[in-house]
Amino acid sequence: MGKGTIVLAFSGGLDTSICVPLLKERYGYDRVVTVAVDVGQSESDIRMATEKGERIADCHVTVDARDPFVEEHVFRAIRANGSYEGYPMGTALARPVIAGECVRIAREEGAAAVAHGCTGKGNDQLRFDFMIRASGLEVVAPIREQNLTREWEIDYADEHGIPVPVRKETPWSVDENCWSRSIEGGRLEDPSYHPPEEIWHWTTAPEQAPDIPAEVSISFEEGVPVALDGRLTKGFDLIIALNRLAGAHGVGRNDMVEDRVLGLKARECYEHPAATVLLAAHRDLERLVLTRSELAFKAGVDEKWSELAYMGLVYEPLYCALNAFVDETQTAVTGTVDLRLYKGCVRVLGRSSPNALYSDDLVSFDSTSLDQCSAIGFSEFFGLQARMRRRT
Ligand code: ARG
């Protein structure tokens, strides 16, 4: 008698593919259910995962989670200006969705465990483990537990009739969702190596981008992007359209050394055209409508929110409390931001909002509606203590 059914988070890549026979041969499971979750990665990736899962697993499920991913996780990241060490995080936002779907299917299938193909070196293992354990299920991570080399994996896949993509074609480890694409591994592991142009799929090299800039206008309602150039557009479609437009102008490329949760430094390359534009626009709109105190305090909240989201700790009570704070501030973040995209750069051209805390009548050098003499009294108290100290 084996251990019954196990659900496997499945991308169709080499690691998750060899997990199917490994879970039976080395772990004693009788039935492996593969789950591919669509969070906006390329259609060909999803098709490949579906076809492969159907071929090699006992049962395969592909779940379309694009809208919940965008509406629950990406929108939240926009509202919290979610970024880690300076880049718009993406992989971290999708992991809870993928793990959550696997847990849901594990329950339906009566499985006591969920498996994933993460290694023991990255952040993804922590994000998956957290979600699975928080749901009371057991975690199985064959790649991490068996200490396998890539050579061994390729031979093992061959023995089990699992097609392996030609190694030359896939020298990188790529993770993709509609918000971002990450490329790591292979020669990129040498931080002094210059990334070849071929790793970039969503962005044109800035120097090859059109000589004519593009302009785009983004409208937000309560911190959520709702329209592109005045046309109401659903979240997922808006992101895809902006990825295309901004990517064509070379916006949203990133090559950096990043600190993983475990403390390892890693060289990572990212593409996130829509995220770059939307975060720039959202930050700018916040500056128009939030008070100085809100902005100052929220910067710290955004930072803490990003740290928790990066770790995938979406059930952490503090994460929920920070979301409540962010939600409260975002009731004011409605308005439109116009931007220009040009050779890898995005620049805000103008912004407007019915909630603007801005009055040209008050601030203008040409207006007299505010009596400048009122500032004299304010100024008498201004810096009082510092002035007294200087005099002693
Ligand atoms: N360093 C990023 C993160 O931890 C991206 C990891 C991407 N994973 C991958 N298998 N390529 O969020």
Side-chain angles (χ1 to χ4, degrees):
M1 235 320 255
K3 289 204 257 179
T5 298
I6 187 165
V7 164
L8 168 66
F10 191 71
S11 69
L14 177 62
D15 285 337
T16 57
S17 294
I18 64 154
C19 282
V20 176
L22 276 176
L23 288 167
K24 294 184 163 179
E25 291 174 4
R26 293 209 180 170
Y27 290 84
Y29 285 95
D30 305 301
R31 189 167 163 268
V32 178
V33 178
T34 46
V35 176
V37 182
D38 187 350
V39 282
Q41 60 273 56
S42 76
E43 274 169 36
S44 62
D45 280 5
I46 279 292
R47 210 176 316 116
M48 184 271 287
T50 305
E51 282 166 14
K52 214 163 173 190
E54 281 168 355
R55 245 190 58 204
I56 69 178
D58 299 290
C59 169
H60 175 85
V61 187
T62 293
V63 186
D64 179 359
R66 291 174 298 178
D67 289 337
F69 170 56
V70 168
E71 281 150 31
E72 285 161 38
H73 295 266
V74 173
F75 282 177
R76 210 170 259 164
I78 295 173
R79 289 152 66 98
N81 299 311
S83 58
Y84 181 73
E85 295 189 342
Y87 76 94
M89 70 184 103
T91 300
L93 301 179
R95 293 313 188 207
V97 178
I98 298 170
E101 288 300 329
C102 290
V103 165
R104 182 177 63 76
I105 291 165
R107 292 210 173 106
E108 279 173 22
E109 295 281 340
V114 172
H116 61 71
C118 304
T119 70
K121 297 199 174 171
N123 296 319
D124 289 331
Q125 54 173 337
L126 305 174
R127 300 165 180 152
F128 270 107
D129 291 1
F130 172 74
M131 290 295 290
I132 298 164
R133 292 204 174 107
S135 312
L137 298 176
E138 202 188 312
V139 176
V140 178
I143 304 300
R144 171 174 72 185
E145 290 155 13
Q146 308 276 329
N147 247 318
L148 310 171
T149 65
R150 229 174 146 76
E151 299 296 337
W152 187 92
E153 289 185 19
I154 291 169
D155 289 344
Y156 185 75
D158 276 344
E159 280 164 32
H160 289 80
I162 296 170
V164 180
V166 185
R167 223 181 157 188
K168 243 186 19 250
E169 286 171 10
T170 52
W172 329 108
S173 164
V174 175
D175 179 68
E176 205 175 274
N177 59 59
C178 63
W179 194 235
S180 106
R181 178 168 180 273
S182 95
I183 314 104
E184 59 181 20
R187 290 196 66 191
L188 293 171
E189 287 179 351
D190 171 0
S192 71
Y193 173 70
H194 299 194
E197 202 47 39
E198 65 173 69
I199 70 164
W200 309 110
H201 286 190
W202 290 6
T203 51
T204 304
E207 58 275 18
Q208 306 288 320
D211 293 329
I212 316 274
E215 285 178 13
V216 64
S217 124
I218 299 165
S219 305
F220 290 86
E221 230 162 72
E222 304 206 344
V224 166
V226 291
L228 264 191
D229 294 327
R231 273 189 316 278
L232 285 179
T233 311
K234 207 173 71 128
F236 179 79
D237 300 332
L238 187 145
I239 290 169
I240 297 300
L242 258 184
N243 270 339
R244 269 201 208 109
L245 177 68
H249 286 271
V251 170
R253 268 193 192 188
N254 204 353
D255 172 3
M256 64 184 287
V257 173
E258 166 177 331
D259 295 284
R260 290 183 182 161
V261 179
L262 291 178
L264 292 168
K265 283 196 186 286
R267 197 280 185 85
E268 304 274 355
C269 295
Y270 296 107
E271 293 181 285
H272 34 63
T276 305
V277 176
L278 288 169
L279 290 179
H282 179 263
R283 276 205 184 91
D284 189 88
L285 185 57
E286 280 193 332
R287 299 210 63 78
L288 182 66
V289 300
L290 297 187
T291 65
R292 173 160 62 184
S293 303
E294 280 180 303
L295 284 169
F297 194 81
K298 187 169 182 289
V301 169
D302 290 350
E303 179 78 26
K304 192 70 201 169
W305 184 95
S306 296
E307 194 185 307
L308 294 172
Y310 182 72
M311 294 190 283
L313 294 176
V314 296
Y315 294 145
E316 160 64 49
L318 179 60
Y319 176 80
C320 304
L322 296 180
N323 277 322
F325 170 84
V326 170
D327 289 351
E328 176 64 28
T329 62
Q330 297 303 294
T331 55
V333 188
T334 294
T336 297
V337 181
D338 302 332
L339 309 105
R340 174 173 292 160
L341 313 169
Y342 182 63
K343 296 206 184 276
C345 297
V346 55
R347 193 154 57 85
V348 172
L349 298 174
R351 71 290 280 164
S352 62
S353 166
N355 304 327
L357 300 181
Y358 178 92
S359 160
D360 48 2
D361 185 41
L362 290 182
V363 81
S364 171
F365 297 121
D366 304 323
S367 140
T368 53
S369 64
L370 190 79
D371 183 357
Q372 294 190 43
C373 294
S374 317
I376 299 170
F378 182 95
S379 177
E380 278 180 29
F381 289 95
F382 185 65
L384 180 67
Q385 296 181 353
R387 283 188 277 132
M388 289 173 81
R389 171 67 57 82
R390 239 178 108 77
R391 254 187 267 128
T392 56

